[in-house]
Amino acid sequence: MAPVAIKDNIFNVGVVDWNIRDFHGYSTYKGTTYNAYLVMDDKITLFDTVKKPFKNDLLQNIAKITDPQKIDYLVVNHVEMDHSGSIPEVIEAVKPQKVFCSPMGKKALEAHFGSHAWPLEVVENGREISLGRRTVRFLETRMLHWPDSMFSYIPQDRLLISSDAFGQHWATSETFDDEVALTELLRHAAKYYANILLPYSPLVRKLLAAVGEMKLDIDMIAPDHGLIWRSRPEAILKAYDDWSLQKAERKALIIYDTMWHSTEKMAHAVASGLADEGVSYKLLHLKRNHRSDILTEVLDSKALIFGSPTLNNGMLPTMADILCYLKGLKPTGKIGSAFGSYGWSGEAVNDMVRWMEEMKIEIVEPPVRVQYVPNQDVLAQCAELGRRVGRAVKERTA
Ligand code: FEO
């Protein structure tokens, strides 16, 4: 990727990672980007770096704009390795006068890279520095999504460099939101929110409120992953407002796995009940849908109905995987139930219900279990479960 001018004398010098397919358990089936921003001012400043294997690409991109050794300042908005993995080599190549980071950023840099004679300068929330014609205001965004995270705001360019926030894992040859379809872009942003930021939704709300109170004049949001919001920054701000409220649609998910198709038959019967009530639903087979794609669906669903047969006195491992992942991401305001077949012991349904209760998912209908194979009576019970959950969805989303 060649550098792209995003404003006068401001360039994205980051890289596109077309081939990454797993990002610590998140399926990046369309790759990602590691954006880094070079501001050409009296003090030439680089905001963030890239994942370690892409260090040469970053330096080559910078060299197309200026000699990397002319960079005066490095800003570290976030210490996770996809943005800071190449920091030691970049500092060695650039020899910046100053490296700015948050208080927690200093601790994280030292924890990751040990002690160095780097010219670190800790910036508190709200601190401003001058680059010459421009100023940079640093905004701490602690726990969004790491303790060290911060934003950099350049008022003269109405530019918010937002680190991970408002990003998407999507590798494209395009740079800006207006160069792609908004629906697909928001879908990638929703997946990013559901899998990275969902547990911090209360902090997202506080941040959005604080940004509103500061009356920051923003006409571009430049995240460290994916497309830059040039034409429609309000679209992603509105989406974050909705997602952080965990607003649910009239929608239910049936998340299941099956051994010999008995639980699958039950899943389809539950779906028929939801259809009877006119509730939108999705059947998500755990061997056909990645956990991170399921979380994207969870984001705007009111009901979660889990189905697993019993294996070795417990649920199937795929069900344990999604419940463990879901619990960590702390969805709120969900309702649901469970179902499943068994041979002789039948613990899976109770185990799933226990996990749901721990997540404060309200069980609005008793679960259905069946030994071996569901007959028509059992399938009718499953359809009734679907209808009752469907009616509860309609009541709670009215
Ligand atoms: Fe893209 Fe939290 O790193």
Side-chain angles (χ1 to χ4, degrees):
M1 167 178 155
V4 177
I6 65 167
K7 292 269 186 182
D8 283 348
N9 287 313
I10 301 181
F11 301 86
N12 181 6
V13 289
V15 300
V16 181
D17 187 350
W18 293 98
N19 293 323
I20 188 169
R21 289 295 177 268
D22 177 84
F23 199 101
H24 53 55
Y26 177 141
S27 70
T28 47
Y29 56 88
K30 290 204 172 180
T32 192
T33 74
Y34 313 113
N35 301 338
Y37 299 101
L38 184 70
V39 176
M40 299 297 295
D41 206 318
D42 295 347
K43 294 293 185 186
I44 298 175
T45 303
L46 177 65
F47 292 79
D48 296 313
T49 67
V50 296
K51 206 172 175 183
K52 191 180 177 79
F54 296 93
K55 174 253 311 178
N56 288 338
D57 303 84
L58 172 69
L59 291 172
Q60 284 164 14
N61 279 343
I62 294 168
K64 289 171 185 162
I65 309 295
T66 187
D67 178 349
Q69 294 208 328
K70 290 187 175 167
I71 290 176
D72 299 287
Y73 295 160
L74 171 64
V75 173
V76 180
N77 279 323
H78 181 26
V79 179
E80 193 166 6
M81 288 297 99
D82 48 331
H83 310 292
S84 73
S86 57
I87 276 181
E89 290 88 350
V90 169
I91 290 180
E92 180 65 26
V94 166
K95 296 183 177 53
Q97 294 167 18
K98 292 183 179 180
V99 177
F100 296 100
C101 62
S102 68
M104 298 304 283
K106 180 172 188 288
K107 288 185 182 177
L109 283 171
E110 288 170 351
H112 281 86
F113 300 112
S115 295
H116 288 272
W118 293 344
L120 288 183
E121 183 162 330
V122 170
V123 287
E124 302 288 342
N125 185 40
R127 163 90 184 274
E128 291 190 358
I129 62 169
S130 172
L131 305 186
R133 284 156 291 166
R134 297 173 179 81
T135 53
V136 182
R137 190 191 304 178
F138 298 107
L139 306 171
E140 256 196 281
T141 58
R142 204 173 280 207
M143 293 317 300
L144 289 175
H145 69 118
W146 272 27
D148 55 271
S149 301
M150 67 178 186
F151 289 173
S152 297
Y153 173 61
I154 302 177
Q156 293 79 4
D157 293 290
R158 305 168 71 198
L159 171 64
L160 184 69
I161 298 175
S162 62
S163 186
D164 278 334
F166 312 118
Q168 332 90 44
H169 284 312
W170 189 15
T172 60
S173 57
E174 292 78 14
T175 300
F176 299 103
D177 59 336
D178 49 62
E179 298 175 310
V180 298
L182 182 61
T183 45
E184 185 171 7
L185 179 57
L186 284 172
R187 193 73 185 153
H188 287 289
K191 180 172 179 176
Y192 194 93
Y193 188 93
N195 286 277
I196 305 280
L197 293 168
L198 186 61
Y200 310 112
S201 290
L203 297 176
V204 172
R205 299 219 54 73
K206 281 187 184 170
L207 176 68
L208 292 173
V211 168
E213 282 168 18
M214 283 186 276
K215 299 193 187 324
L216 295 187
D217 189 10
I218 297 168
D219 79 349
M220 180 181 286
I221 298 176
D224 277 1
H225 295 292
L227 284 293
I228 293 168
W229 301 91
R230 171 174 70 179
S231 294
R232 295 167 290 197
E234 69 286 351
I236 190 64
L237 289 169
K238 168 73 169 62
Y240 267 52
D241 192 40
D242 289 347
W243 297 333
S244 60
L245 283 170
Q246 301 206 38
K247 280 185 181 171
E249 303 289 330
R250 189 169 281 193
K251 173 178 164 186
L253 304 181
I254 302 163
I255 301 167
Y256 74 99
D257 200 350
T258 194
M259 287 171 66
W260 297 106
H261 302 295
S262 286
T263 301
E264 186 157 59
K265 286 176 185 159
M266 299 170 82
H268 283 274
V270 171
S272 73
L274 291 165
D276 289 345
E277 291 297 328
V279 167
S280 175
Y281 68 86
K282 289 197 174 172
L283 278 156
L284 298 172
H285 190 311
L286 285 164
K287 290 198 189 74
R288 306 282 178 269
N289 295 276
H290 194 274
R291 69 175 83 82
S292 54
D293 292 316
I294 291 174
L295 256 293
T296 315
E297 299 294 344
V298 166
L299 189 59
D300 65 353
S301 294
K302 185 65 186 172
L304 309 177
I305 308 170
F306 296 94
S308 172
T310 294
L311 174 72
N312 302 330
N313 303 110
M315 64 186 88
L316 287 181
T318 48
M319 182 56 71
D321 177 291
I322 190 68
L323 289 174
C324 177
Y325 190 62
L326 189 62
K327 187 178 177 190
L329 289 166
K330 298 184 175 70
T332 59
K334 307 297 186 194
I335 63 175
S337 189
F339 60 93
S341 67
Y342 66 96
W344 48 93
S345 56
E347 292 90 344
V349 165
N350 287 343
D351 286 354
M352 289 186 290
V353 166
R354 195 170 59 251
W355 276 82
M356 293 169 75
E357 288 172 344
E358 286 177 11
M359 286 187 266
K360 297 187 170 44
I361 298 173
E362 184 185 347
I363 310 295
V364 292
E365 180 63 16
V368 177
R369 288 193 322 163
V370 66
Q371 189 169 25
Y372 289 121
V373 178
N375 59 23
Q376 288 307 312
D377 286 345
V378 171
L379 294 176
Q381 286 177 46
C382 291
E384 183 59 16
L385 183 155
R387 280 189 288 275
R388 292 187 181 210
V389 173
R391 286 198 285 275
V393 166
K394 289 195 288 190
E395 287 165 13
R396 311 291 178 90
T397 55

